[in-house]
Amino acid sequence: SISAHLKAYKKMCNAKKQFAGFLFMAVGAFLGFVSCVLSLINPTPELYNVILFGLTSVAIIVIFIGMYCVFE
């Protein structure tokens, strides 16, 4: 009985972590898409490098955090 409860608890914790991981990956993908669109549109030429390199780097980091949570 105790081992069944522990198994269910671990499964619940892993499900929460996996959901958070998929959420991080979705947010990172959205940020990557936004940075791509803003780089192509180029609304403010002064911020082109910040958008292209900064926002894309943040998007990649968020995606990798999500992948870590999912695949751990």
Side-chain angles (χ1 to χ4, degrees):
S1 173
I2 293 173
S3 64
H5 287 302
L6 287 175
K7 195 177 207 182
Y9 176 73
K10 286 181 183 180
K11 189 174 183 178
M12 183 183 65
C13 289
N14 287 337
K16 285 182 182 180
K17 188 179 282 190
Q18 193 175 25
F19 178 76
F22 282 120
L23 192 65
F24 275 122
M25 285 193 291
V27 169
F30 180 72
L31 282 175
F33 177 73
V34 168
S35 70
C36 176
V37 169
L38 288 176
S39 297
L40 293 173
I41 293 174
N42 198 10
T44 55
E46 296 84 22
L47 294 177
Y48 178 74
N49 288 331
V50 173
I51 292 170
L52 182 64
F53 299 116
L55 195 58
T56 304
S57 298
V58 169
I60 291 171
I61 289 170
V62 171
I63 288 172
F64 277 128
I65 290 171
M67 289 174 65
Y68 175 77
C69 290
V70 169
F71 294 123
E72 183 181 30

